[in-house]
């Protein structure tokens, strides 16, 4: 049985904003019966560009229904421009998390919103572009690249969790692998191009803090550890280990092999990591 | 909260008598049956008794019973042994609707170079005997076909398949995990070479099973080591569970009348009432060639996991063949093999009864389920009047 959060269950048992809107400003239809989930989102936008009303109909499992309910609650009262910035992670966060294997439900929510907003504007939804990579679930390369970028995915399994791509016959797995590698290479290139402008100390500190927050802390936290940024001076980054890491006999290895490597990859290849005196 | 348990094909309650019979072996009588002192050695007598009880239920000889750790081990052992004993034959015949305990093993063997023929089933889940006859080749080492399907309850013509295999000189194994205790089975009147069963489907505990290997059938052990089970399955015996399985088999024989009369009456009433009260549903599997305790119904336009969550909230335990519950992203391989349309496959619910179910249990589901389906259909974008466009029926539209 899935480990659903209380909030998710509450939204499944008591979904908000179920139904249709008679004269909607935009409608988004995604998913299919064949794939086991489908979502139709209706929005009503007023003359100030604010989403006044949002309603939905969902065919799908518990987390699909809860994600749609959450989506309508999040976008109500937002301007179209604000709503455009919504990510699938926002939906997951609103529900207090979604099991990894079910993240595709949050992606379906984001896609339905995009499609409804595109319909409102009278343009084609962006995800319909590209070529189909996964024939079983009809997922395009554009879509796969996007979730990889937005959610920092690194494995085919994660891509399957987020988009279902690769979850059928599995023939497209090598193609997905290539797409992931492509995105990672692009990001590395972008980083290489960026530091040539020389980061200021403040910029670098921000990047280091971001890298710690996004990648490194969650990994250390799994073992009950933590890390804090003490100082950044040129390429010298000083950190202090916290929690179990502070006393862990393997902490040198953690710093050298993991944290330093990650920072070099994400911020600057010349970073030297130092531990603050205890 | 007391639950209405209608998921007996997943696992069943340990019979109170079984638990009682097991307890001494988990407390005072903890000896090892292989020991040379009577404290341990006496336990061997209890295992012998259990072996006789299992044999009696199946019309087998006690020597033909090998205790294992589960149905999965029995299945693996049977298939590997058949191949090991016939090194010149490298082809396997099975069905497309086997339990993963058989299916995954066969697929793995196919990836290692063995030939594999997976027989298809018709929309009612039945095998085609003509296809079966054609599938057996001179190099076929083993045919493995389940006695009854765990999802739909459909019963396969294993007696005829076994005859055919005997004529052609091919070993026949049947995964009877779902049939033992629910249907009368007689090894003497059938030509099964090997038969698998699992304790937890017939009111014994989880983690014990048996493989019946007919006398004269060539056999190679799967687990090697000590001389337990006369060298056919090494490992110190799970004494308490084996004793439990023995008694569960004896009880099954006593309850078989109930299983033939009262249980199917309950099942039929449940099925008839649900299908009368809920529009747009269909029965999956043959209506009569079926286990007496199982019904599998699909409700169009709604998804199985959502149904289960709401049933759970109402205190009812059931299963689904939907993608979201199968642990994969596609609906059950059994329903797909039967060609159940996608509009139905995702909304399938399996209800499986046992001797411990009552009329009140059935009434509860008849009362609760129609409202649950209605509630989910009110949320669903699809309905009889709003069928998805043909494009929505294909995955290409998905994203
Ligand atoms: C048909 C069938 N075969 C094999 C098994 C596996 O049995 P066990 O759980 O004892 O390994 C099951 C149980 O899920 C089953 O239904």
């Amino acid at each position: 049985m899935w480990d659903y959060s209380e909030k998710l269950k509450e939204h499944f048992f008591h979904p908000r904003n179920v139904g249709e809107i008679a004269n909607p400003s935009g409608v988004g239809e995604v998913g299919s019966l064949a794939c086991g989930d489908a979502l139709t989102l209706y929005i009503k936008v007023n003359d100030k560009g604010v989403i006044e009303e949002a309603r939905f109909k969902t065919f799908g499992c518990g987390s699909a229904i809860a994600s749609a309910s959450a989506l309508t609650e999040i976008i109500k009262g937002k301007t179209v421009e604000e709503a455009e910035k919504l990510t699938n992670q926002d939906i997951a966060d609103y529900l207090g998390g979604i099991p990894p294997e079910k993240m595709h439900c949050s992606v379906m929510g984001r896609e339905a919103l995009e499609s409804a907003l595109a319909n409102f504007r009278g343009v084609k939804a962006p995800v319909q572009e590209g070529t189909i990579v996964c024939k079983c679930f009809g997922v395009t390369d554009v879509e796969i690249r996007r979730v990889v970028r937005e959610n920092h995915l690194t494995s085919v399994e994660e891509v399957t969790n987020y988009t279902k791509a690769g979850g059928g016959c599995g023939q497209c797995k090598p193609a997905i692998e290539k797409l992931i590698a492509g995105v990672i290479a692009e990001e590395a290139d972008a980083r290489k191009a960026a530091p040539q402008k020389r980061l200021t100390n403040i910029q670098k500190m921000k990047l280091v803090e971001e890298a710690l927050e996004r990648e490194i802390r969650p990994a250390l936290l799994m073992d009950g550890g933590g890390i804090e940024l003490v100082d950044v001076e040129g390429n010298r980054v000083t950190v202090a280990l916290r929690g179990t890491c502070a006393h862990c006999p393997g902490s040198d290895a953690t710093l050298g092999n993991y944290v330093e490597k990650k920072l070099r990859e994400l911020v600057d290849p010349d970073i030297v990591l130092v531990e603050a005196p205890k | 909260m007391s639950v209405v348990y209608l998921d007996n094909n997943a696992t069943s309650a340990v019979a109170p008598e079984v638990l009682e019979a097991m307890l001494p072996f988990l407390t005072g009588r903890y000896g090892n049956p292989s020991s040379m002192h009577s404290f341990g050695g006496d336990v061997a007598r209890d295992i012998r008794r259990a072996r006789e009880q299992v044999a009696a239920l199946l019309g087998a000889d006690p020597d033909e019973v090998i205790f294992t750790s589960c149905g999965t081990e029995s299945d693996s052992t049977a298939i590997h042994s058949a191949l090991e004993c016939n090194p010149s034959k490298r082809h396997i015949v099975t069905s497309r609707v086997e339990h993963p305990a058989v299916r995954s093993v066969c697929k793995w063997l196919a990836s290692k170079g063995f030939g594999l023929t997976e027989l298809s089933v018709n929309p009612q889940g039945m095998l085609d005997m003509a296809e079966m006859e054609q599938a057996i080749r001179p190099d076929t080492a083993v045919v493995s076909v389940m006695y009854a399907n765990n999802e739909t309850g459909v019963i396969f013509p294993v007696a005829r398949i076994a005859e055919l295999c005997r004529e052609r000189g091919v070993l026949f194994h049947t995964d009877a995990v779902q049939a033992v205790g629910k249907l009368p089975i007689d090894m003497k009147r059938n030509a099964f070479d090997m038969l698998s069963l699992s304790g937890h489907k017939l009111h014994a505990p989880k983690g014990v099973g048996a493989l019946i290997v007919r006398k004269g059938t060539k056999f190679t052990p799967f687990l090697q080591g000590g001389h337990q089970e006369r060298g056919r399955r090494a490992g110190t015996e799970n004494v308490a569970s084996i004793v439990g399985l023995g008694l569960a088999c004896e009880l099954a024989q006593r309850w078989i009348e109930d299983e033939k009369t009262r249980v199917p009456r309950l099942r039929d009433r449940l099925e008839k009432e649900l299908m009368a009260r809920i529009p747009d549903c269909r029965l999956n599997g043959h209506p009569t060639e079926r286990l007496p305790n199982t019904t599998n119904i699909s409700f169009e336009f709604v998804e199985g996991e959502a149904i289960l969550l709401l049933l759970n909230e109402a205190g009812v335990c059931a299963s689904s063949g939907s993608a979201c519950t199968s642990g994969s992203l596609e609906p059950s391989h059994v329903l797909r093999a039967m060609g159940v349309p996608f509009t139905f496959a995702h909304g399938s619910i399996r209800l499986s009864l046992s001797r411990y179910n009552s009329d009140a249990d059935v009434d509860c589901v008849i009362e609760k389920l129609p409202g649950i389906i209605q509630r989910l259909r009110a949320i669903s974008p699809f309905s009889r009047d709003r069928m998805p466009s043909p494009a929505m029926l294909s995955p290409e539209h998905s994203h």
Side-chain angles (χ1 to χ4, degrees), chain A residues 4 13 31-32 58 102 111 136, chain B residues 305 375 379 392 395 398-399:
Chain A
Y4 285 141
F13 288 121
S32 78
T58 293
K102 294 283 193 150
E111 281 173 0
C136 297
Chain B
E305 186 206 285
R375 189 169 152 187
I379 304 178
M392 284 287 267
S398 170
H399 297 273

Side-chain angles (χ1 to χ4, degrees), chain B residues 184-240:
Chain B
I185 297 177
D186 191 349
M187 287 287 288
K188 282 196 199 59
R189 294 177 46 192
N190 284 294
F192 309 144
D193 296 304
M194 292 181 275
L195 178 148
S196 300
L197 66 102
S198 172
H200 71 107
K201 312 285 186 185
L202 68 148
H203 307 294
K206 296 157 191 66
V208 66
L211 177 65
I212 315 300
V213 180
R214 186 181 294 281
K215 268 191 191 150
T217 303
K218 276 195 258 169
F219 181 80
T220 317
F222 189 55
L223 289 186
Q224 310 208 22
H227 57 267
Q228 294 89 351
E229 300 296 293
R230 300 189 18 237
R232 294 173 299 177
R233 198 276 187 184
T236 301
E237 297 85 343
N238 181 355
V239 179

Side-chain angles (χ1 to χ4, degrees), chain B residues 9-10 70-72 75 99 101 146 148 150 175 177-178 198 200-201:
Chain B
N9 286 12
C70 59
T72 302
D75 287 340
H99 187 273
M146 66 201 323
N150 44 306
D175 173 345
V177 166
Q178 290 294 346
S198 172
H200 71 107
K201 312 285 186 185

Side-chain angles (χ1 to χ4, degrees), chain A residues 1-2 4 12-15 18 20 29-36 38 40 42 56-63 65 101-102 104 111 127-128 132 135-139 143 160 163-164 167-169, chain B residues 299-310 312-313 323-325 327-331 342-344 346-347 375-382 386-389 391-399:
Chain A
M1 199 160 176
W2 302 109
Y4 285 141
F12 165 68
F13 288 121
H14 308 286
V18 174
E20 298 168 16
E29 253 188 20
V30 290
S32 78
L33 256 175
C35 295
T40 309
Y42 302 83
F56 79 93
K57 287 259 180 125
T58 293
F59 162 80
C61 59
S63 53
I65 291 172
E101 298 86 345
K102 294 283 193 150
H104 56 84
E111 281 173 0
V127 284
Q128 285 168 11
I132 301 255
K135 292 207 179 73
C136 297
F137 291 107
V139 190
E143 155 100 69
T160 306
T163 64
K164 295 192 178 183
C169 70
Chain B
F299 303 98
E300 207 174 7
F301 315 122
V302 292
E303 196 278 334
E305 186 206 285
I307 304 173
L308 291 187
L309 287 169
L310 291 172
N312 184 57
E313 203 61 8
C324 285
T325 57
S328 76
L329 289 165
E330 299 192 312
F342 273 122
T343 53
F344 282 100
H346 288 286
R375 189 169 152 187
L376 290 172
R377 281 184 178 163
I379 304 178
S380 174
F382 310 123
R386 262 208 79 193
M387 282 300 274
S389 59
M392 284 287 267
L393 278 171
S394 94
E396 306 283 313
H397 182 270
S398 170
H399 297 273

